[in-house]
Amino acid sequence: MSVLLEATKIGKHFGGVQALKDVSLTINTGEIYGLIGPNGAGKTTFFNVLTGLYPKDGGTVTFDGAPLPLGSPHAVTRAGIARTFQNIRLFANMTALENVMVGRHARAKVGVGGAVMRHRRAREEEAAIRRRAEELLHYVGIADRGGQLARHLAYGDQRRLEIARALATEPRLLALDEPAAGMNATETSELKTLIEGIRADGVTVLLIEHDVKLVMGLCDRVAVLDYGEKIAEDVPDAVKRDPKVIEAYLGA
Amino acid sequence: MRQPKQRALIGLALIGLALAILPLVVGAALGNTWVRVLDYALLYIMLALGLNIVVGFAGLLDLGYIAFYAVGAYLYALLASPHFGLHLPAWVILPLGALVAGVFGVLLGAPTLRLRGDYLAIVTLGFGEIIRIFLNNLNAPVNITNGPQGIARIDPISIAGHPLSRPLEIFGYTLSGVTLYYYLFVVLAIGIIFVGIRLQDSRIGRAWVAIREDEIAAKACGIDTRNVKLLAFAMGASFGGVAGGLFAGFQEFVSPESFGLLESIMVLCMVVLGGMGHIPGVILGGLLLTLLPEAFRHGAGPVQQALFGKVLLDPESLRMLLFGVALILVMLYRPAGLWPEARHRRELAEK
Ligand SMILES: Nc1ncnc2c1ncn2[C@@H]1O[C@H](COP(=O)(O)OP(=O)(O)OP(=O)(O)O)[C@@H](O)[C@H]1O
Ligand SMILES: [Mg+2]
């Protein structure tokens, strides 16, 4: 199995809060990798550093064999990492379809000249963007909502839309920050099927999730963060039995 | 399939015809003063469309936009007047004005990239004033702008050797100078509208709106927000630069006082009042905010005379008063502008 992402000794602090302490982890190509931990453990911060949104204090990340350009978030996306947000961040006043079309930005080329002249290449590219966006809406199961404004979608659909938008960037690694938060049991099980399908289609998944059942049922390997430190990393069954993990969740 | 396309073509032809005879009708019914007002309205519409890219699409509150109008106007003035003895033709200066204003847009935009909302507004306001103050003071030690006196005797815009300021006789019918300018401005305004619509409906336009809606999510979608914002500044500024060049050729005179903060605010009002981010709304805003105050200036005196037998309130102050009241009413009852985007209607139709 080949390594897709290797994070080494990632550190991050906010004033006096050490949100991440020398966190190292390795994600293999094709796996669903879980990242869990109690509230405030530093999971979202890890995502934010990984996607270039926050500058890191130290450490390195290699992705697909090359150092990740952490200075600029858009370059990280181009390199092949896409994400969703814990507190959904959609383009509220754009339609669902347009949201996904924005996700194609980095994979398209037409600039001002093409936009104004609308020559053949520009028209073809625009049509391809639209077609792909429609496919992705269908893929996540909200094909019939394409014309609605993102802010008018039901909560579960907003989560799906965010996944579709992330997939539109053609990621090799899809990072999901608590995608099941606020979903009911049916929605959660549909989400599980969706994530399994994404993996089956060749995209590696990094998953932050509080729903223990979902994580244990879905992930190949799980890392546990506690107070910014990685305290365990193993297959779900082993993690479940790890005394340090039990203590982190029950103690405090 | 054919039917709607044909209908659209017929619609466009009718609009074209209406635009073509408008100055003739207005000129005959109300006099050339009102054709001149139409000319100014068209300049303001171009400005408002440029600012709409920055404020309406990309969501960047720019209070110094008039600076780019100034850049375009002064560029024209310097390159086509006795001031430096240069007399370049308009078709050279106007594209150059777009380019130079666009470069200024990038230069003034670059330092503000990390700012949003109020902070951005304050900094751009400062930049706008800096440009105006430069224009006011660059007359010593080397006289570049001729300071507060401004630059006079600017060449009128000529087409095919005919200065537009001079009436033109065709088929025994005389077209006044202001009418000729009207036709030029209409053509250029349509060009700017076309570019605006095409941009809005493209990958670039979507990226602008994405930044307006959520900058962090836009970055996560792979948008280089720095470049895309600078592009918005540059495009908006270049529209302003073209309008400025036209203004200089039309007036044949420019001075710094045409480019004050109040002008920036006026253009912003057109965008906001008409419907931010919605091109037809912005055009409406530009039209209303040029025509209504003008109608008022001409009408308020005589109406009072007729009603009360004397002029009770100075038309000029009454105009500002009503303008303020109108703004407040629109913001209270139509906060999205007089003619906002019809997204919501479209959405309902699909259900
Ligand atoms: N932008 C920020 N500024 C200051 N402190 C922050 C910031 N972001 C996170 N923190 C702090 O860093 C620590 C880790 O937060 P983080 O959001 O990464 O936790 P989490 O594991 O995602 O928690 P949750 O499960 O509640 O989402 C917390 O103490 C938090 O208060
Ligand atoms: Mg979190």
Side-chain angles (χ1 to χ4, degrees), chain A residues 44 86 177-178:
Chain A
T44 299
Q86 183 170 351
D177 197 345
E178 301 198 20

Side-chain angles (χ1 to χ4, degrees), chain A residues 38-45 48 86-87 177-178 208 210:
Chain A
N39 288 114
K43 307 178 295 291
T44 299
T45 302
N48 288 340
Q86 183 170 351
N87 44 350
D177 197 345
E178 301 198 20
I208 294 180
H210 272 302

Side-chain angles (χ1 to χ4, degrees), chain A residues 44-125:
Chain A
T44 299
T45 302
F46 183 78
F47 264 35
N48 288 340
V49 169
L50 182 68
T51 51
L53 241 33
Y54 290 170
K56 60 183 161 53
D57 298 343
T60 55
V61 182
T62 50
F63 181 71
D64 214 4
L68 200 61
L70 286 178
S72 52
H74 66 92
V76 171
T77 307
R78 271 161 214 257
I81 299 181
R83 67 170 293 174
T84 64
F85 294 88
Q86 183 170 351
N87 44 350
I88 307 176
R89 303 191 84 122
L90 289 168
F91 307 121
N93 292 305
M94 296 174 98
T95 64
L97 185 69
E98 284 168 337
N99 267 269
V100 186
M101 288 171 83
V102 171
R104 296 296 299 158
H105 185 90
R107 304 298 172 200
K109 286 192 198 65
V110 164
V112 172
V116 175
M117 302 314 294
R118 248 183 231 177
H119 47 60
R120 212 177 96 204
R121 194 166 55 75
R123 285 198 310 270
E124 282 170 2
E125 186 183 278

Side-chain angles (χ1 to χ4, degrees), chain A residues 132-197:
Chain A
R132 182 71 187 132
E134 280 164 355
E135 275 168 24
L136 283 166
L137 284 179
H138 183 76
Y139 186 83
V140 302
I142 50 173
D144 55 336
R145 311 282 145 77
Q148 289 186 29
L149 294 188
R151 65 187 160 91
H152 291 162
L153 292 183
Y155 186 79
D157 290 345
Q158 293 195 351
R159 288 249 177 240
R160 286 161 184 274
L161 178 56
E162 223 192 1
I163 293 175
R165 186 180 69 186
L167 287 174
T169 67
E170 286 173 29
R172 302 210 45 211
L173 177 69
L174 176 65
L176 303 171
D177 197 345
E178 301 198 20
M183 284 187 173
N184 61 32
T186 333
E187 286 173 324
T188 304
S189 91
E190 284 168 3
L191 178 74
K192 183 163 181 267
T193 317
L194 176 63
I195 296 176
E196 278 165 347

Side-chain angles (χ1 to χ4, degrees), chain B residues 263-340:
Chain B
E263 289 292 306
S264 280
I265 291 176
M266 201 62 178
V267 179
L268 186 65
C269 282
M270 294 172 180
V271 175
V272 174
L273 219 84
M276 261 206 275
H278 187 223
I279 290 174
V282 171
I283 297 172
L284 178 72
L287 208 57
L288 286 183
L289 285 195
T290 330
L291 296 187
L292 288 184
E294 208 57 38
F296 211 79
R297 195 158 71 186
H298 291 278
V303 167
Q304 288 186 58
Q305 194 76 42
L307 282 179
F308 313 116
K310 60 180 177 191
V311 177
L312 293 171
L313 287 165
D314 163 40
E316 191 62 22
S317 38
L318 197 58
R319 185 165 75 108
M320 287 319 275
L321 181 76
L322 283 192
F323 181 57
V325 171
L327 264 186
I328 292 171
L329 287 180
V330 170
M331 288 300 102
L332 277 179
Y333 295 106
R334 305 216 51 145
L338 291 172
W339 191 359

Side-chain angles (χ1 to χ4, degrees), chain B residues 37-84:
Chain B
V37 172
L38 284 182
D39 291 347
Y40 279 112
L42 286 166
L43 289 178
Y44 275 113
I45 287 172
M46 292 185 219
L47 280 177
L49 287 168
L51 185 60
N52 181 49
I53 289 186
V54 182
V55 180
F57 294 167
L60 304 162
L61 186 50
D62 186 346
L63 283 186
Y65 180 70
I66 211 71
F68 308 120
Y69 192 48
V71 166
Y74 267 83
L75 191 80
Y76 189 102
L78 295 177
L79 296 180
S81 72
H83 184 62
F84 284 149

